[in-house]
Amino acid sequence: MTAPEQPQIYLITPPQIDLDTFPDRLAAILDARSVACLRLDLASQDEDLIARSADRLRDIAHARDVALVIAGHVLLAERLGLDGVHLGDAARSVRAARKALGADAIVGSFCAASRHDGISAGEAGADYVSFGPVGETALHDGTRAESDLFRWWSEMIEVPVIAEGGLTADLVATLAPITDFFGIGAEIWGHDDPLAALNALTAPIGPDRPAS
């Protein structure tokens, strides 16, 4: 993924999805909003379930020119014809994933709030890094990726960056000038109308823009 002129939406699935209802909810969002990338991020380790989910979501995403990456499962990314992989261990798996998937695949890396891990991931060949959570959280040790990290990254590093985790409209407004993508998932899926929730969350970045 290349850095856009304005921040774009990087959509993240819930950890559990109902294949009878979720594909339609996803399609409604992709039809209404420009989304740069979709991450299949299931908690399940059931290979069959992951494969069936990937097949359904790949068809929906690719029909709308949206890239689909999978969290963690490098071998499945290749086997299922996905566009790449999102790694959760900072830079440790980036080189191996790039070697396995090739130069054209998307390889992303979650680097929590570590500038060092982000730099290492970029040097190892990551197409993007993501930092987070950016919002208040009681998970893990409560560490947040602060706006100063994104400001430094946007000034010093060319690798595109994603802000994710605990986003609010206020945080979107604050981070919009210093991030390339907003990773949005849990913030919207718990609502009866995820599209309305997405629109409210991203209101500070203004009208929708075409994905690159």
Side-chain angles (χ1 to χ4, degrees):
M1 298 192 304
T2 57
E5 293 184 3
Q6 298 289 343
Q8 293 180 3
I9 297 168
Y10 173 108
L11 201 60
I12 305 166
T13 70
Q16 296 179 328
I17 62 176
D18 182 343
L19 287 178
D20 290 330
T21 59
F22 183 76
D24 288 340
R25 301 179 91 197
L26 174 65
I29 288 178
L30 298 187
D31 285 339
R33 297 296 304 268
S34 295
V35 172
C37 188
L38 173 66
R39 183 202 303 169
L40 178 61
D41 201 345
L42 300 183
S44 174
Q45 297 299 305
D46 182 332
E47 183 176 334
D48 179 66
L49 174 62
I50 295 171
R52 287 188 290 112
S53 301
D55 284 343
R56 291 288 301 278
L57 302 194
R58 183 193 60 237
D59 291 345
I60 292 168
H62 286 181
R64 294 159 177 83
D65 294 322
V66 175
L68 174 61
V69 300
I70 190 169
H73 303 292
V74 175
L75 296 180
L76 287 180
E78 183 176 29
R79 186 182 310 160
L80 298 172
L82 308 184
D83 297 288
V85 66
H86 174 84
L87 303 170
D89 60 354
R92 286 185 287 277
S93 300
V94 171
R95 290 190 193 280
R98 174 64 67 203
K99 182 177 180 180
L101 298 177
D104 294 334
I106 297 170
V107 176
S109 178
F110 177 71
C111 297
S114 173
R115 179 188 299 185
H116 175 268
D117 286 348
I119 293 171
S120 297
E123 291 176 343
D127 292 294
Y128 69 82
V129 301
S130 66
F131 293 122
V134 295
E136 294 291 345
T137 177
L139 300 176
H140 306 294
D141 62 359
T143 299
R144 290 176 55 183
E146 303 288 350
S147 59
D148 286 350
L149 171 59
F150 291 92
R151 184 171 296 106
W152 177 87
W153 189 272
S154 69
E155 293 172 353
M156 302 299 294
I157 308 295
E158 294 185 359
V159 177
V161 63
I162 296 172
E164 66 173 276
L167 283 165
T168 63
D170 286 344
L171 282 169
V172 168
T174 298
L175 294 171
I178 49 177
T179 193
D180 300 302
F181 302 90
F182 286 109
I184 298 171
E187 296 88 349
I188 66 170
W189 297 121
H191 292 262
D192 291 336
D193 187 343
L195 176 57
L198 177 62
N199 289 339
L201 181 66
T202 59
I205 62 176
D208 204 6
R209 300 172 178 86
S212 61

